[in-house]
Amino acid sequence: MKRAAYEKQGGICKKCGKPFAFEDMEGDHTIPWSRGGKTDAANCQMLCRACNREKAGK
Ligand SMILES: [Zn+2]
């Protein structure tokens, strides 16, 4: 599922717009589970580690 999202985005981080290797990216739920988000490809995006950490910290 993460790989599918990665391929769909063309390896580009959804937040900063830079290309990253698959290994350097992490899956992120567009809609958090706490707000009713589902665990499927439509609700999955790939962010680079820096962006994912930044989002988690807010
Ligand atoms: Zn990023």
Side-chain angles (χ1 to χ4, degrees), residues 22-38:
F22 180 72
E23 294 76 22
D24 291 332
M25 301 184 86
E26 296 172 345
D28 178 61
H29 289 94
T30 311
I31 304 167
W33 283 332
S34 58
R35 275 189 258 151
K38 292 174 185 169

Side-chain angles (χ1 to χ4, degrees):
M1 191 166 72
K2 284 183 182 179
R3 173 68 75 172
Y6 177 82
E7 297 288 349
K8 195 168 72 176
Q9 293 175 210
I12 305 296
C13 171
K14 282 274 187 174
K15 193 167 180 189
C16 64
K18 295 175 189 170
F20 290 91
F22 180 72
E23 294 76 22
D24 291 332
M25 301 184 86
E26 296 172 345
D28 178 61
H29 289 94
T30 311
I31 304 167
W33 283 332
S34 58
R35 275 189 258 151
K38 292 174 185 169
T39 308
D40 60 22
N43 187 35
C44 182
Q45 64 181 357
M46 296 299 283
L47 300 177
C48 68
R49 283 177 186 160
C51 288
N52 200 29
R53 204 176 305 132
E54 189 180 305
K55 183 179 177 180
K58 283 177 183 170

